[in-house]
C-alpha cells in the first residue's frame, strides 16, 4: 500500500511537471514593442529596448519601403498624413513618433537589436504591387542577413507575394502568414513555418491548433490583451501570444 501511495504521488508529480513544462513554453511577443508605458511609442527604438528589458521572447515591428527603397519602421502606411510608400526618405526622416523619436529606419532598428537579446518578429507590410512586395522582401532579407540577425528573426506577413519571396530567399528563417484565411496544411505546402492569426480566426477554426501541431507548425495569436483570452489561447495550444500587454502575458504564462 505504501509503495502504491508513493507511486501515485510520483505519477502526479510527473503529470504536474509535464503540464507546467507544456505551458511554460508559451512565448510572449510584444506587439510593436513595449509601448504602453512612459516615454515609449509604438515601433520606437525605446519600445524595443523596453521589450528587451522586460524579457519577452520577441519584439514585433512593421516595415514599409519608402518611394526610394529605404525600409522604415512604422505601423500605419501614413505618418502624420504623409504616405510612407510613395514619399522619398529625405521627406520622412525628420518626422517624429509620439515619444519624440524620429521615424526609425530598419538599419537603426537592427543596430539596436544587435545590442539586445530579444528576438526580431519582423512584419513586412503589404505594398502596392507584387513587384514592390517582392522588392521589400529582398531588401529586408539582405539587410537582416548583412547584420547577421537571420537566426534571431521570424518573418510575418499578410501578403502572399512577400511570403513566397521570404520563403524562397531565406528558407531557414521561419515565415508566418497573418491573414487568418488559410488552413495549416496549405500553408505547410507553401513553406510557411506556421500561422500567426487573429484570435477570432483561431476561435472560428479551433481545429487549426491541432492540425498545425500535427504538421509540426507553430501557432502565434494576436492581439491578445485580455488575461482570460490569454488563458484560453494557451489552453487551446498557442505557441506564441502577441500582445500590447506583455507584462500581463508574462504573468499569465508564468502562472499557468
Ligand atoms: Mg504588425
Amino acid at each position: 500500500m505504501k509503495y502504491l501511495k508513493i507511486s501515485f504521488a510520483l505519477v502526479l508529480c510527473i503529470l504536474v511537471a509535464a503540464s507546467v513544462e507544456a505551458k511554460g513554453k508559451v512565448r510572449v511577443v510584444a506587439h510593436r514593442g513595449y509601448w504602453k508605458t512612459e516615454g515609449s511609442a509604438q515601433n520606437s527604438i525605446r519600445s524595443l529596448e523596453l521589450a528587451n528589458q522586460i524579457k519577452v521572447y520577441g519584439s514585433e515591428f512593421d516595415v514599409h519601403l519608402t518611394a526610394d527603397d529605404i525600409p522604415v519602421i512604422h505601423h500605419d502606411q501614413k505618418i502624420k498624413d504623409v504616405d510612407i510608400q510613395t514619399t522619398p526618405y529625405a521627406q520622412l526622416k525628420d518626422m517624429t513618433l509620439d515619444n519624440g523619436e524620429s521615424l526609425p529606419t530598419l538599419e537603426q532598428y537592427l543596430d539596436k537589436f544587435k545590442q539586445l537579446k530579444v528576438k526580431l518578429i519582423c512584419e513586412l507590410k503589404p505594398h502596392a504591387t507584387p513587384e514592390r512586395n517582392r522588392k521589400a522582401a529582398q531588401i529586408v532579407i539582405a539587410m537582416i542577413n548583412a547584420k547577421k540577425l537571420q537566426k534571431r528573426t521570424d518573418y510575418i506577413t499578410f501578403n502572399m507575394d512577400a511570403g513566397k519571396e521570404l520563403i524562397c530567399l531565406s528558407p531557414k528563417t521561419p515565415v508566418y502568414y497573418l491573414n487568418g484565411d488559410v488552413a495549416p496544411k496549405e500553408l505547410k505546402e507553401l513553406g510557411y513555418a506556421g500561422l500567426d492569426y487573429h484570435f477570432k480566426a483561431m476561435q472560428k477554426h479551433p481545429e487549426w491548433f491541432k492540425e498545425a501541431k500535427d504538421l509540426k507548425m507553430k501557432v502565434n495569436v494576436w492581439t491578445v490583451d485580455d488575461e482570460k483570452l490569454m488563458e484560453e489561447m494557451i489552453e487551446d495550444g498557442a505557441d506564441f501570444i502577441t500582445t500590447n500587454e506583455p507584462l500581463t502575458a508574462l504573468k499569465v504564462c508564468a502562472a499557468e
Side-chain angles (χ1 to χ4, degrees):
M1 191 62 189
K2 186 181 161 195
Y3 289 115
L4 199 65
K5 270 186 187 164
I6 292 171
S7 305
F8 179 72
L10 204 63
V11 167
L12 200 66
C13 280
I14 291 167
L15 285 175
V16 169
S19 146
V20 165
E21 196 205 4
K23 291 186 174 165
K25 280 183 184 165
V26 178
R27 288 161 162 170
V28 176
V29 174
H31 185 236
R32 307 176 197 170
Y34 178 33
W35 56 272
K36 276 191 164 183
T37 185
E38 186 74 26
S40 191
Q42 295 185 8
N43 277 312
S44 63
I45 299 268
R46 185 66 187 140
S47 74
L48 172 56
E49 288 171 336
L50 289 167
N52 186 72
Q53 219 171 76
I54 61 171
K55 295 189 165 56
V56 286
Y57 170 80
S59 192
E60 190 260 0
F61 58 99
D62 305 287
V63 184
H64 295 269
L65 277 193
T66 63
D68 51 349
D69 296 344
I70 305 296
V72 296
I73 312 302
H74 199 255
H75 178 264
D76 295 350
Q77 198 177 319
K78 286 188 174 178
I79 177 165
K80 300 195 164 86
D81 289 333
V82 179
D83 186 282
I84 293 173
Q85 296 187 8
T86 55
T87 305
Y89 177 64
Q91 289 174 38
L92 297 164
K93 68 180 179 55
D94 297 325
M95 296 197 126
T96 50
L97 309 180
D98 287 347
N99 67 345
E101 280 181 37
S102 299
L103 176 71
T105 61
L106 178 62
E107 181 152 34
Q108 289 163 350
Y109 232 65
L110 298 182
D111 287 341
K112 178 52 72 178
F113 266 113
K114 290 281 277 183
Q115 300 165 12
L116 308 172
K117 291 252 185 309
V118 69
K119 299 269 194 300
L120 296 73
I121 313 297
C122 175
E123 178 177 351
L124 205 52
K125 296 309 268 186
H127 289 69
T129 62
E131 291 72 30
R132 290 299 285 165
N133 283 315
R134 285 195 287 273
K135 180 119 195 202
Q138 291 157 12
I139 288 173
V140 169
I141 283 178
M143 202 172 268
I144 285 181
N145 290 358
K147 302 273 182 195
K148 298 191 167 40
L149 284 164
Q150 63 270 37
K151 286 185 182 161
R152 279 175 56 195
T153 301
D154 287 351
Y155 290 114
I156 61 176
T157 186
F158 280 94
N159 184 272
M160 278 287 180
D161 293 315
K164 198 173 169 188
E165 196 75 357
L166 290 164
I167 291 163
C168 176
L169 295 179
S170 195
K172 288 186 179 165
T173 310
V175 182
Y176 291 75
Y177 182 63
L178 290 166
N179 208 34
D181 56 347
V182 182
K185 189 170 181 293
E186 196 181 330
L187 288 182
K188 181 82 178 181
E189 283 161 8
L190 292 167
Y192 285 90
L195 33 157
D196 187 349
Y197 284 174
H198 191 273
F199 66 85
K200 284 187 182 161
M202 295 311 293
Q203 285 171 328
K204 198 172 152 195
H205 289 284
E207 74 280 8
W208 285 354
F209 281 107
K210 186 176 183 306
E211 282 178 33
K213 198 172 182 196
D214 290 346
L215 290 161
K216 298 196 172 13
M217 300 176 87
K218 300 281 186 202
V219 179
N220 192 338
V221 279
W222 53 272
T223 309
V224 186
D225 294 346
D226 175 78
E227 203 169 319
K228 285 271 166 288
L229 191 59
M230 288 171 187
E231 284 166 0
E232 178 190 320
M233 290 293 117
I234 292 169
E235 199 59 44
D236 286 351
D239 298 289
F240 303 89
I241 299 283
T242 296
T243 180
N244 293 315
E245 300 289 352
L247 290 178
T248 306
L250 286 169
K251 192 185 75 186
V252 169
C253 289
E256 288 282 344

